[in-house]
Amino acid sequence: AQKVTQAQTEISVVEKEDVTLDCVYETRDTTYYLFWYKQPPSGELVFLIRRNSFDEQNEISGRYSWNFQKSTSSFNFTITASQVVDSAVYFCALNANDYKLSFGAGTTVTVRA
Amino acid sequence: NAGVTQTPKFQVLKTGQSMTLQCAQDMNHEYMSWYRQDPGMGLRLIHYSVGAGITDQGEVPNGYNVSRSTTEDFPLRLLSAAPSQTSVYFCASSYYRTGQETQYFGPGTRLLVL
């Protein structure tokens, strides 16, 4: 069975602050993929990143960065110097070889000007 | 290239009514799926298909039917709507090659069952 836990329900920050979203996953498979999706207030789901279980290299893309640690089964996401446009619900998801994405409950990020 | 499209965007049904949520993709993706999103629960898989003529159940299939007659289309049918089916429905698609392709989502259909 697969499970994704996003313990933070809501995070509120002031613009320019950094914000880190936690994601902890469970799977018995040794091969799996982890994803982050963003859902802005308009409602669509936007793909942000995919990471496979054999690649623990951290990644930075502009103001976004991801920290993947297999030892703690975590795939955390950091927004640096947050902006109002970052306000959204962020979902972490897990796919272990069967295309069935398991989503966390999501973290709502509110960035105040 | 329109990506994944869904119709309608919003629908109100009365309990017991039936309807079909439409999903289409123009990326020649083999894999298509339906999820429902409920507050505090993330997205949950309803049904999925790995190609035309092949469908299977996901985590929450009860009350829903699907079929896949073409690669492009994957409609979701509610046979007898219930208030518990009030939700936002997302269709997604991806290639089906390595087993780990990224799924891309449609804009969603908001369904209210009274």
Side-chain angles (χ1 to χ4, degrees), chain A residues 48 79 83 102 108:
Chain A
L48 294 177
I79 303 172
Q83 300 176 1
S102 296
T108 300

Side-chain angles (χ1 to χ4, degrees), chain B residues 25 28-30 32 51-52 68-74:
Chain B
Q25 52 89 11
N28 204 29
H29 285 168
E30 300 92 345
M32 296 185 73
R68 184 94 179 271
S69 56
T70 67
T71 299
E72 295 78 17
D73 301 299
F74 190 44

Side-chain angles (χ1 to χ4, degrees), chain A residues 34-71:
Chain A
L34 295 161
F35 301 80
W36 277 95
Y37 286 87
K38 173 183 179 180
Q39 187 175 42
S42 53
E44 73 272 24
L45 282 158
V46 179
F47 164 71
L48 294 177
I49 190 171
R50 180 182 80 173
R51 172 70 68 220
N52 74 55
S53 54
F54 299 105
D55 183 3
E56 288 192 73
Q57 186 174 8
N58 293 329
E59 182 161 339
I60 298 174
S61 176
R63 295 184 296 105
Y64 295 170
S65 62
W66 290 269
N67 183 5
F68 175 34
Q69 292 190 334
K70 287 181 71 172
S71 60

Side-chain angles (χ1 to χ4, degrees), chain B residues 9-82:
Chain B
K9 291 184 179 180
F10 181 71
Q11 183 72 47
V12 179
L13 290 178
K14 294 181 180 179
T15 297
Q17 287 184 318
S18 63
M19 80 160 295
T20 299
L21 280 63
Q22 301 292 344
C23 174
Q25 52 89 11
D26 61 359
M27 298 174 282
N28 204 29
H29 285 168
E30 300 92 345
Y31 181 85
M32 296 185 73
S33 55
W34 278 100
Y35 294 83
R36 59 177 290 173
Q37 181 181 14
D38 301 296
M41 301 187 72
L43 281 79
R44 293 179 294 168
L45 181 65
I46 304 172
H47 284 287
Y48 65 97
S49 168
V50 300
I54 306 170
T55 63
D56 206 346
Q57 297 180 350
E59 181 184 356
V60 288
N62 292 340
Y64 308 96
N65 277 355
V66 292
S67 60
R68 184 94 179 271
S69 56
T70 67
T71 299
E72 295 78 17
D73 301 299
F74 190 44
L76 178 72
R77 299 183 186 85
L78 283 70
L79 302 178
S80 178

